[in-house]
C-alpha cells in the first residue's frame, strides 16, 4: 500500500508542476504587455485595426480567465499554436526535432555510461594509489 500512495503522490506532484509551468508560461507574456502587439514587433507599424484583428483571431479579446482556460484546453489537446517564425504549427516543428534530439540525448547518455563504467573500473583496480 505504501508504494501505491508514493506513486500517486509523485503523479500528483508532476501534475501540479505541469500546471505551475503552464500558469507561469501563460502569464509571463502578459507581463510584457499585449501579446498581439508583441507579435507585431511592438506594433510600431501596425494599425489599431490590425492589432484588434489579431487579438480576435488569437482569442485575446476574451477575458483573461477564459483565455487561460482555452490555453489549458488547447495544450491538453496538443494544439500548441502556430509559429510566426517558421510559418508552421508548433507541434510539427517539435515533431521535426524529436528524432535528432533522441539521438543526441541517447548517444550522450550511452557515452556517459561507458565513461562512468570505465572510470569506476579504473578506480577499483587502482585502489589506494594516487589515482584513487
Amino acid at each position: 500500500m505504501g508504494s501505491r500512495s508514493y506513486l500517486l503522490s509523485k503523479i500528483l506532484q508532476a501534475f501540479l508542476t505541469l500546471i505551475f509551468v503552464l500558469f507561469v508560461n501563460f502569464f509571463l507574456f502578459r507581463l510584457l504587455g499585449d501579446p498581439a502587439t508583441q507579435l507585431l514587433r511592438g506594433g510600431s507599424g501596425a494599425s489599431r485595426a490590425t492589432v484588434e484583428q489579431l487579438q480576435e483571431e488569437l482569442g485575446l479579446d476574451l477575458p483573461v480567465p477564459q483565455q487561460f482556460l482555452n490555453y489549458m484546453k488547447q495544450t491538453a489537446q496538443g494544439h500548441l499554436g502556430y509559429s510566426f517564425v517558421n510559418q508552421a504549427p508548433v507541434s510539427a516543428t517539435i515533431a521535426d526535432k524529436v528524432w535528432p534530439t533522441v539521438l543526441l540525448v541517447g548517444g550522450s547518455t550511452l557515452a556517459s555510461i561507458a565513461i562512468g563504467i570505465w572510470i569506476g573500473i579504473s578506480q577499483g583496480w587502482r585502489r589506494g594509489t594516487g589515482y584513487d
Side-chain angles (χ1 to χ4, degrees), residues 51-67:
V51 174
E52 288 175 358
Q53 179 185 2
L54 184 59
Q55 286 175 334
E56 186 177 332
E57 287 176 13
L58 299 176
L60 298 171
D61 57 341
L62 299 171
V64 174
Q66 182 64 41
Q67 291 178 36

Side-chain angles (χ1 to χ4, degrees), residues 57-118:
E57 287 176 13
L58 299 176
L60 298 171
D61 57 341
L62 299 171
V64 174
Q66 182 64 41
Q67 291 178 36
F68 183 68
L69 290 176
N70 289 345
Y71 171 72
M72 296 290 282
K73 179 181 171 186
Q74 289 175 356
T75 301
Q77 293 173 346
H79 303 295
L80 303 178
Y82 191 80
S83 171
F84 289 91
V85 175
N86 300 339
Q87 302 298 317
V90 172
S91 55
T93 303
I94 292 172
D96 290 342
K97 309 295 186 222
V98 166
W99 286 114
T101 302
V102 167
L103 290 174
L104 183 63
V105 170
S108 62
T109 300
L110 291 175
S112 302
I113 290 170
I115 291 169
I117 289 173
W118 177 72

Side-chain angles (χ1 to χ4, degrees), residues 34-52:
D34 179 38
T37 306
Q38 296 297 322
L39 280 173
L40 296 170
R41 306 283 188 238
S44 57
S47 67
R48 184 67 193 151
T50 305
V51 174
E52 288 175 358

